[in-house]
Amino acid sequence: MDFAATKALFDLPPGMVYLDGNSLGPLPRSAAARVARTVTEEWGMMLITAWNHAGWMAQPTALGDRIGRLVGAEPGAITTGDTLSVKVYQALAAALSMRPDRRVILSDRGNFPSDLYMAQGLARSLGHGHELVTVSPEDVAGRIGPDVAVLMLTEVDYRTGRRHDMPALIKAAHDAGALVIWDLAHSAGALPVDLAGAGADFACGCTYKFLNAGPGAPAFIYVAPRHQGAVAPALSGWLGHEAPFAFDRDYRPGMGIERMRVGTPPVLQMAALDAALEIWDQVDMQALRARSIDLSERFIAGVEATCPDLRMASPRDPNQRGSQVSFHFEEGYAAMQALIARGVVGDFRAPDIMRFGITPLFIDEGDIDRAVAVMAEVMGERLWDRAEYKTRSAVT
């Protein structure tokens, strides 16, 4: 792949090394024009007829199939819309209804808090004695047993980048009679995923991180084709109905993945996603992964050679981590603010994680080397030890 060519497809601020594409991807150069065309030519000129003439109503599943190529999904197995938290809720409610005799939702302590909150809230609202059990990531396989209804995991840990063994855990869960839900927030667009090949039951993810669809971009949900006829949607919105414009009083679930749609598609956000996927349509995920590992290893070697105060938080083996590298540092928040002030943008995750996304579509060796040089300066000269870098903003 020509990664110099893909870098030219993004609108990056001059002089900035952006190592936070794992949190919010940068703007594809084509996105502004694509959204503007949706506003002026579709909404502006077609008005309500654009639902048909511009294909707005079909967007969620059409975009889902394009995402599906990146995560190894079968055609017709993904639809888009809503937020990731909503999609986690949908998947978990559906999975629990398919295992009515079991009460344990198993996850790991490193899972993204919103996923755990959704599980806690759903368990309370169901009122059937469901329990969320969390263990350390290393202990997940050993805790899977006959009481587990659903194993709910984020494949790549949002703090450390640690990667679960998807095929092995799916097999262990299925052998015990449990279903599995994967959160792909830090996987989709970061590394090759093979949902169909691994035998996944459900998955969901967001499109504003590695997929570069912009803030507030829609989430996606995957339901294995073998389960689609059995899924009872907990959020039975009108666009998940078999015939939305029949306006029936009673809900009848739509066919296949369509039943996981809820409300009106976010058309403007989907226009930005469409523009971003025009880039991803050309990406070889194996080549991307190889490039990610090369750049990550270069970054780790540079940081460890020049910043002895930083302690690696990510797995040492590149096959056991996603496309990010994290370091422990007690004053990590202040150090990150000092880096950002000097044009190297990563982010901080409590309590002490400095997190850097390695995103090959727009990051190259020169960016890695500049980031290492700036980090060495910030750490070596204790530039982080200034009051202005220690006042925390609402978003870290």
Side-chain angles (χ1 to χ4, degrees), residues 7-318:
K7 184 172 185 176
L9 299 176
F10 291 91
D11 194 1
L12 295 160
M16 178 183 288
V17 177
Y18 191 67
L19 300 179
D20 210 12
N22 57 315
S23 191
L24 176 65
L27 176 68
R29 289 189 183 277
S30 62
R34 177 68 181 84
V35 172
R37 187 168 75 248
T38 300
V39 171
T40 59
E41 297 180 17
E42 297 175 10
W43 179 17
M45 300 304 295
M46 298 181 191
L47 291 168
I48 199 167
T49 69
W51 287 106
N52 292 318
H53 297 325
W56 290 354
M57 191 57 73
Q59 276 184 316
T61 306
L63 294 171
D65 279 342
R66 292 165 71 187
I67 294 169
R69 186 188 73 83
L70 305 176
V71 296
E74 305 92 332
I78 291 181
T79 192
T80 57
D82 314 300
T83 68
L84 179 51
S85 293
V86 169
K87 293 309 182 193
V88 168
Y89 186 98
Q90 283 185 284
L92 183 56
L96 289 176
S97 73
M98 294 168 65
R99 293 293 183 270
D101 57 335
R102 300 184 179 206
R103 293 292 178 267
V104 171
I105 304 164
L106 177 62
S107 190
D108 73 72
R109 298 189 187 109
N111 204 349
F112 191 67
S114 185
D115 292 19
L116 303 180
Y117 303 160
M118 285 289 130
Q120 292 165 352
L122 178 59
R124 284 194 302 270
S125 65
L126 290 174
H128 295 318
H130 289 95
E131 176 188 11
L132 173 65
V133 174
T134 59
V135 297
S136 67
E138 297 80 9
D139 294 336
V140 167
R143 177 57 184 84
I144 298 171
D147 59 339
V148 174
V150 179
L151 176 61
M152 182 184 71
L153 297 171
T154 298
E155 184 186 14
V156 175
D157 189 295
Y158 77 102
R159 283 194 181 100
T160 67
R162 181 194 184 276
R163 183 183 182 187
H164 279 296
D165 186 337
M166 180 184 288
L169 288 172
I170 289 175
K171 183 180 186 306
H174 287 176
D175 286 349
L179 296 170
V180 188
I181 298 169
W182 292 98
D183 182 334
L184 303 179
H186 291 273
S187 304
L191 47 84
V193 179
D194 187 8
L195 292 174
D201 299 300
F202 298 88
C204 45
C206 57
T207 63
Y208 54 81
K209 298 181 187 294
F210 290 94
L211 296 183
N212 311 302
F220 64 88
I221 185 168
Y222 165 87
V223 181
R226 66 184 180 278
H227 294 318
Q228 290 177 5
V231 165
L235 298 177
S236 46
W238 76 300
L239 287 185
H241 191 281
E242 182 182 48
F245 286 89
F247 299 110
D248 291 341
R249 291 183 180 275
D250 297 317
Y251 180 81
R252 302 191 312 274
M255 296 296 292
I257 196 63
E258 294 292 320
R259 65 181 56 191
M260 303 309 281
R261 293 176 64 167
V262 182
T264 304
V267 172
L268 300 184
Q269 293 170 325
M270 287 188 170
L273 174 57
D274 177 59
L277 289 177
E278 288 177 355
I279 300 173
W280 283 102
D281 288 342
Q282 310 304 316
V283 172
D284 180 319
M285 292 303 297
Q286 297 295 336
L288 181 90
R289 177 60 171 166
R291 177 73 164 169
S292 167
I293 290 174
D294 288 346
L295 293 175
S296 297
E297 293 293 286
R298 187 184 188 99
F299 183 63
I300 292 167
V303 171
E304 292 192 326
T306 59
C307 304
D309 290 335
L310 301 186
R311 179 169 55 89
M312 193 166 166
S314 300
R316 182 71 56 183
D317 181 353

Side-chain angles (χ1 to χ4, degrees), residues 353-373:
I353 295 286
M354 297 175 69
R355 191 176 72 158
F356 302 91
I358 308 300
T359 43
L361 292 190
F362 54 86
I363 294 294
D364 58 26
E365 290 90 347
D367 296 316
I368 294 294
D369 293 346
R370 178 163 180 263
V372 169

Side-chain angles (χ1 to χ4, degrees), residues 317-337:
D317 181 353
N319 295 312
Q320 295 180 8
R321 64 174 185 260
S323 197
Q324 69 182 63
V325 176
S326 300
F327 294 93
H328 292 289
F329 181 54
E330 185 176 357
E331 295 290 342
Y333 179 82
M336 187 59 73
Q337 302 317 300

